[in-house]
């Protein structure tokens, strides 16, 4: 438990933001994690040199370790960008020094890639400075390569030792690069996910009626246009509305009227087939689309729905009441355009109203 608390406190201290205004809190976290990684890396290398009885190499690694610890401590007292620059400069000096001392084969030159990745993540915009710094890093690597071709290292290491340092360096480089990418990309991925969710919400708000949860007229027109463009099944379309709904609003109030609309919409969803497309066409008027039903099959489903709706008892405060609905049903003839078929459904709806309401006209 104490160990967990210690690690938690250490992590909190590493993430402590001491940056100034408009400075990235993530950058200082990366700087600290990098300095700790390089400290551990130097410690491991010092043990490798110690196992080889190479006292000079061990001392050099320990000096590097102390300097990395100093940069870590400095990050709590200096502005974030200053700490970032000091770390970059020291790693560059450290790379050059190690190449001169131990040669190209130990692989420290690959830490230039880590600095390159850090450069592009560290600051927002500043593209010109990033490009110049990248070119400078590339030029440095080329210069170090040609230096090693013409000069022998100060301290010669046998091939087996070089291979050991190559493995340690490779692990350190992969870890530091992955660490930088992870810390800087986490929020980006989270924000991208939130943006996708937000766009879905906007799409839903644009397509869904907020009161009933049914599709609105806009999304219904898009669906119908797509459905009738190349129909592969029989399609039936029903225009319907609540009988005497104005009387409900006038007698019991608009809140009760809204309750009626929501309850009827819920009844649509529970009583009609799952693939039925349900839409609030406007006010108390609805459009029901049966994408794989002929008129007879749709008529049976609507007849059951009509009786279910009449059986609902609504609370009007001083009394309960019920409502009925009138339906105008058409079966798509595979020839008419969208406007024509909607007019036909609307015409049958109004014929049903003139004939006494509470019925299905097909």
């Amino acid at each position: 438990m104490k160990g967990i608390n210690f690690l938690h406190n250490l992590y909190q201290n590493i993430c402590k933001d001491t940056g100034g205004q408009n400075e990235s809190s993530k950058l200082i976290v990366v700087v600290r994690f990098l300095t700790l990684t390089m400290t551990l890396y130097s410690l491991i290398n010092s043990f490798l040199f110690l196992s080889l009885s190479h006292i000079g190499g061990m001392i050099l690694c320990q000096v590097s370790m102390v300097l990395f610890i100093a940069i870590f401590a400095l990050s709590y007292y200096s502005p974030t960008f200053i700490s970032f620059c000091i770390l970059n400069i020291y790693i560059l000096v450290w790379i050059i020094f190690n190449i001169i001392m131990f040669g190209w084969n130990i692989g420290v030159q690959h830490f230039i890639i880590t600095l390159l990745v850090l450069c592009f993540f560290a600051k927002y915009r500043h593209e010109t400075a990033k490009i110049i710094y990248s070119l400078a890093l590339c030029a440095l690597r080329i210069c170090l390569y040609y230096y090693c071709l013409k000069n022998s290292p100060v301290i010669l290491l046998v091939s087996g030792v070089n291979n050991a340092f190559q493995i340690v360096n490779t692990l350190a480089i992969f870890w530091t690069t992955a660490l930088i990418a992870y810390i800087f990309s986490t929020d980006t991925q989270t924000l991208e996910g939130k943006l996708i969710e937000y766009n879905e919400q906007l799409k839903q708000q644009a397509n869904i009626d907020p009161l009933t949860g049914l599709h609105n007229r806009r999304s219904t027109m898009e669906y119908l246009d797509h459905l009738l463009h190349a129909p592969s099944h029989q399609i039936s379309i029903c225009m319907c509305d609540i009988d005497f709904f104005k009387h409900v609003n006038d007698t019991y109030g608009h809140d009760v009227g809204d309750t009626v609309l929501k309850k009827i919409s819920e009844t649509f969803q529970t009583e009609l087939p799952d693939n039925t497309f349900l839409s609030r066409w406007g006010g108390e008027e609805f459009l029901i689309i049966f994408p794989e039903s002929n008129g007879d099959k749709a008529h049976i489903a609507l007849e059951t729905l009509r009786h279910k709706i009449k059986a609902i008892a609504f609370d009007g405060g001083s009394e309960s009441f019920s409502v009925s609905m009138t339906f105008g049903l058409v079966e798509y003839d595979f020839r008419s355009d969208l406007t024509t078929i909607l007019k036909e459904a609307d015409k049958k709806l109004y014929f049903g109203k003139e004939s006494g309401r509470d019925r299905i006209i097909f």
Side-chain angles (χ1 to χ4, degrees), residues 240-243 245-246 261 280 282-286 325:
C240 57
D241 76 358
I242 304 170
D243 297 329
F245 187 69
K246 184 178 183 301
L261 290 169
R280 184 183 181 190
E284 72 272 24
E285 198 168 45
F286 300 88
M325 293 191 70

Side-chain angles (χ1 to χ4, degrees), residues 322-357:
S322 61
V323 297
S324 63
M325 293 191 70
T326 304
F327 304 82
L329 176 64
V330 296
E331 184 181 283
Y332 182 55
D333 58 8
F334 294 91
R335 293 190 306 274
S336 301
D337 59 23
L338 179 56
T339 302
T340 301
I341 197 166
L342 288 176
K343 284 183 177 179
E344 182 66 23
D346 192 55
K347 185 186 298 183
K348 290 189 176 184
L349 168 63
Y350 277 92
F351 180 75
K353 286 183 170 295
E354 292 172 356
S355 302
R357 295 182 169 84

Side-chain angles (χ1 to χ4, degrees), residues 227-362:
L227 190 66
L228 302 184
H229 182 70
S232 57
H233 300 280
Q234 195 74 52
I235 302 167
S236 297
I237 298 172
C238 172
M239 189 84 75
C240 57
D241 76 358
I242 304 170
D243 297 329
F244 301 111
F245 187 69
K246 184 178 183 301
H247 174 74
V248 172
N249 280 331
D250 292 343
T251 304
Y252 305 106
H254 288 277
D255 288 343
V256 175
D258 288 347
T259 301
V260 172
L261 290 169
K262 288 190 282 188
K263 183 61 180 178
I264 286 177
S265 300
E266 292 171 6
T267 307
F268 284 175
Q269 293 169 321
T270 56
E271 298 299 327
L272 293 173
D274 291 338
N275 65 342
T276 307
F277 189 94
L278 305 170
S279 165
R280 184 183 181 190
W281 196 243
E284 72 272 24
E285 198 168 45
F286 300 88
L287 190 72
I288 303 173
I289 303 167
F290 301 88
E292 297 179 6
S293 296
N294 58 29
D296 292 332
K297 187 176 178 180
H299 188 279
I300 293 171
L302 290 173
E303 188 64 34
T304 302
L305 176 68
R306 186 176 69 86
H307 288 290
K308 289 283 185 181
I309 289 171
K310 285 181 65 177
I312 300 172
F314 294 99
D315 183 10
S318 59
E319 61 179 352
S320 61
F321 66 95
S322 61
V323 297
S324 63
M325 293 191 70
T326 304
F327 304 82
L329 176 64
V330 296
E331 184 181 283
Y332 182 55
D333 58 8
F334 294 91
R335 293 190 306 274
S336 301
D337 59 23
L338 179 56
T339 302
T340 301
I341 197 166
L342 288 176
K343 284 183 177 179
E344 182 66 23
D346 192 55
K347 185 186 298 183
K348 290 189 176 184
L349 168 63
Y350 277 92
F351 180 75
K353 286 183 170 295
E354 292 172 356
S355 302
R357 295 182 169 84
D358 187 22
R359 63 196 61 207
I360 304 169
I361 302 300
F362 173 46

Side-chain angles (χ1 to χ4, degrees), residues 194-206:
K194 289 181 178 179
L195 181 61
I196 292 172
E197 292 176 4
Y198 181 65
N199 286 336
E200 286 297 322
Q201 291 173 3
L202 288 179
K203 183 179 178 181
Q204 185 174 7
Q205 290 172 5

Side-chain angles (χ1 to χ4, degrees), residues 80-303:
T80 297
F81 187 66
I82 297 298
S83 299
F84 165 75
C85 291
I86 291 173
L87 179 62
N88 268 262
I89 293 170
Y90 178 63
I91 290 179
L92 286 173
V93 172
W94 174 83
I95 290 170
I96 295 170
F97 180 78
N98 275 271
I99 289 291
I100 293 172
M101 294 299 295
F102 304 109
W104 186 262
N105 291 333
I106 64 170
V108 293
Q109 67 276 5
H110 301 310
F111 278 99
I112 291 175
I113 304 300
T114 299
L115 294 180
L116 179 65
V117 174
L118 180 59
C119 162
F120 276 91
F121 276 115
K123 297 289 285 182
Y124 176 64
R125 295 180 177 171
H126 301 284
E127 284 80 6
T128 302
K130 290 178 181 179
I131 291 172
I132 293 172
Y133 186 59
S134 301
L135 292 174
L137 290 176
C138 180
L140 174 63
R141 194 178 191 280
I142 293 171
C143 290
L144 289 173
Y145 175 72
Y146 279 102
Y147 171 84
C148 291
L149 287 179
K150 297 181 179 180
N151 298 275
S152 299
V154 176
I155 300 174
L156 290 173
L157 300 173
V158 297
S159 59
V161 176
N162 281 329
N163 292 338
F165 280 109
Q166 278 279 8
I167 293 172
V168 174
N169 288 333
T170 299
L171 292 174
I173 290 160
F174 270 84
W175 163 252
T176 53
T177 304
L179 181 70
I180 294 168
Y182 173 76
I183 292 176
F184 279 109
S185 66
T186 300
D187 276 358
T188 302
Q189 292 169 352
T190 301
L191 288 172
E192 185 177 357
K194 289 181 178 179
L195 181 61
I196 292 172
E197 292 176 4
Y198 181 65
N199 286 336
E200 286 297 322
Q201 291 173 3
L202 288 179
K203 183 179 178 181
Q204 185 174 7
Q205 290 172 5
N207 295 332
I208 300 298
D209 174 60
L211 177 64
T212 63
L214 304 183
H215 292 275
N216 59 19
R217 182 182 288 230
R218 174 182 173 276
S219 61
T220 303
M221 292 297 289
E222 291 178 357
Y223 175 77
L224 273 173
D225 185 61
H226 173 74
L227 190 66
L228 302 184
H229 182 70
S232 57
H233 300 280
Q234 195 74 52
I235 302 167
S236 297
I237 298 172
C238 172
M239 189 84 75
C240 57
D241 76 358
I242 304 170
D243 297 329
F244 301 111
F245 187 69
K246 184 178 183 301
H247 174 74
V248 172
N249 280 331
D250 292 343
T251 304
Y252 305 106
H254 288 277
D255 288 343
V256 175
D258 288 347
T259 301
V260 172
L261 290 169
K262 288 190 282 188
K263 183 61 180 178
I264 286 177
S265 300
E266 292 171 6
T267 307
F268 284 175
Q269 293 169 321
T270 56
E271 298 299 327
L272 293 173
D274 291 338
N275 65 342
T276 307
F277 189 94
L278 305 170
S279 165
R280 184 183 181 190
W281 196 243
E284 72 272 24
E285 198 168 45
F286 300 88
L287 190 72
I288 303 173
I289 303 167
F290 301 88
E292 297 179 6
S293 296
N294 58 29
D296 292 332
K297 187 176 178 180
H299 188 279
I300 293 171
L302 290 173
E303 188 64 34

